[in-house]
Amino acid sequence: MLTRSQVKAAQARTAEILEDAGIALSAEEREQVEVASFGLDDLETEGLQLVTYVNTDRYCAKELVLFPSQTCPEHKHPPVGHDPGKMETFRCRAGKVYLYVEGEPAKSIQALIPQRSKDYYTVTHEIVLHPGQQYTILPGILHWFQAGKEGAVISEFSSTSRDELDIFTDPNIVRVPMMKD
């Protein structure tokens, strides 16, 4: 579990990265940056920082910030009731993003799979996003992504986000971990 000071430091770092990318945050947004460590306690390797602008029963808009070589672990967005699951478009705003989805596996990938959880990364169809490029992930598709060495900023546009229901291939992941004081 991350400590309150680790979360505050990650929030400040995230706000600075967004500012450097030309994305301004309000004071309230700066304080509400979500720091997702996935219960793995190694934020520099596997984690993600998020700013959610809007999330309704119809659509969602977020900024995703990845520190250098930080990885969002493999997961999918399952159906919920009559909803087929979250469909999301990632648009790279800064840095480089290595995105992996179901499909023809790459002969070799550019990302560095985190050693602790290497057995849980199963899809290796590689898409590389540079600033101004985007890719849409359909509902129920396994995917994971990693920033390049300089980190990355991704704008996410999607149907309703229910992150707490995401299905991760790593059984050790806790999507909404508690924070230690």
Side-chain angles (χ1 to χ4, degrees), residues 13 17 44-45 66-71 146-152:
R13 186 175 173 193
I17 290 168
E44 293 299 316
T45 302
L66 293 161
F67 299 150
S69 301
Q70 191 179 39
T71 305
Q146 183 178 90
K149 293 178 183 177
E150 68 284 348

Side-chain angles (χ1 to χ4, degrees), residues 68-88:
S69 301
Q70 191 179 39
T71 305
C72 179
E74 187 175 279
H75 64 285
K76 64 181 176 179
H77 308 290
V80 177
H82 295 294
D83 184 327
K86 180 177 165 186
M87 182 168 92
E88 59 192 336

Side-chain angles (χ1 to χ4, degrees), residues 36-76:
S37 68
F38 303 104
L40 301 175
D41 297 332
D42 185 6
L43 191 60
E44 293 299 316
T45 302
E46 290 178 290
L48 177 67
Q49 294 66 233
L50 307 94
V51 176
T52 302
Y53 298 123
V54 62
N55 186 24
T56 71
D57 61 350
R58 297 195 58 206
Y59 68 100
C60 179
K62 299 178 183 181
E63 300 295 351
L64 310 178
V65 173
L66 293 161
F67 299 150
S69 301
Q70 191 179 39
T71 305
C72 179
E74 187 175 279
H75 64 285
K76 64 181 176 179

Side-chain angles (χ1 to χ4, degrees), residues 61-169:
K62 299 178 183 181
E63 300 295 351
L64 310 178
V65 173
L66 293 161
F67 299 150
S69 301
Q70 191 179 39
T71 305
C72 179
E74 187 175 279
H75 64 285
K76 64 181 176 179
H77 308 290
V80 177
H82 295 294
D83 184 327
K86 180 177 165 186
M87 182 168 92
E88 59 192 336
T89 297
F90 285 173
R91 183 169 180 87
C92 182
R93 299 293 187 186
K96 186 185 300 182
V97 180
Y98 302 114
L99 172 62
Y100 299 91
V101 297
E102 295 177 34
E104 183 68 30
K107 287 184 176 35
S108 66
I109 65 171
Q110 296 179 65
L112 302 171
I113 295 176
Q115 277 304 112
R116 183 210 61 79
S117 52
K118 64 181 166 79
D119 295 338
Y120 305 115
Y121 287 82
T122 66
V123 297
T124 58
H125 180 79
E126 184 175 75
I127 296 132
V128 179
L129 298 176
H130 298 274
Q133 295 179 320
Q134 67 186 41
Y135 185 84
T136 299
I137 303 164
L138 297 175
I141 298 296
L142 278 173
H143 60 284
W144 61 280
F145 49 100
Q146 183 178 90
K149 293 178 183 177
E150 68 284 348
V153 175
I154 304 163
S155 292
E156 176 192 310
F157 310 97
S158 71
S159 51
T160 303
S161 181
R162 298 177 183 92
D163 292 340
E164 69 280 3
L165 300 178
D166 290 350
I167 297 171
F168 288 85
T169 52

Side-chain angles (χ1 to χ4, degrees), residues 1-8 176-181:
M1 247 181 278
L2 298 177
T3 65
R4 186 170 307 283
S5 64
Q6 288 172 312
V7 170
K8 290 291 184 195
V176 188
M178 301 284 283
M179 181 175 53
K180 292 190 290 191
D181 281 328

Side-chain angles (χ1 to χ4, degrees), residues 24-46:
L25 295 181
S26 69
E28 183 179 359
E29 288 167 334
R30 290 174 72 97
E31 290 177 13
Q32 293 180 356
V33 169
E34 179 186 353
V35 178
S37 68
F38 303 104
L40 301 175
D41 297 332
D42 185 6
L43 191 60
E44 293 299 316
T45 302
E46 290 178 290

